[in-house]
Amino acid sequence: MRSYRKELWFNTPTRVAFINITPQVEECLRESGIQEGIVLVNAMHITASVFINDDESGLHHDYTNWLEQLAPHEPIHQYRHNDSGEDNADAHLKRQIMGREVVVAITKGKLDFGPWEQIFYGEFDGRRPKRVLVKIIGE
Ligand code: ZN
């Protein structure tokens, strides 16, 4: 069995952002040379997500509004987490809803997606360098 590990770095200019990272994961897969196996892609921060869905701008707008209704950023003092002086309680909650990681099968050297599936990085407390881990195992 072979294994491959890489960290992808992001520093979004906005607090909330959605980035299609499928091309970077495909590049990792090419670098790994693995033809049959599994790729794990996970956010390495507790205020960011990795998830799979459609690359459709209306949907990303809907996520932003839906998450803001569930966990509004303001007022900051509505959250006990922010009593410590932080202001990112909403980002922790948004990450919990959108998930930490995805696992995708690798078949014949390709990501074995269903229709329209793409991998996204979801940022909920950006404007600083943050990482995503890509771990590939197989042969
Ligand atoms: Zn926090």
Side-chain angles (χ1 to χ4, degrees), residues 20-84:
N20 187 339
I21 62 170
T22 310
Q24 289 102 309
V25 176
E26 287 172 338
E27 179 61 29
C28 290
L29 182 52
R30 275 192 293 276
E31 277 179 22
S32 77
I34 291 170
Q35 293 293 303
E36 297 291 325
I38 293 285
V39 55
L40 165 75
V41 187
N42 68 269
M44 297 182 81
H45 301 264
I46 51 181
T47 53
S49 291
V50 172
F51 62 94
I52 290 180
N53 216 303
D54 193 2
D55 193 0
E56 196 278 305
S57 61
L59 183 60
H60 299 168
H61 179 80
D62 295 339
Y63 284 143
T64 304
N65 286 354
W66 177 63
L67 291 167
E68 199 57 29
Q69 284 170 27
L70 287 172
H73 180 60
E74 305 270 2
I76 284 163
H77 296 296
Q78 72 188 299
Y79 299 107
R80 293 286 71 78
H81 178 67
N82 290 341
D83 290 349
S84 61

Side-chain angles (χ1 to χ4, degrees), residues 47 81 86 88-89 92:
T47 53
H81 178 67
E86 289 193 79
N88 67 1
H92 290 275

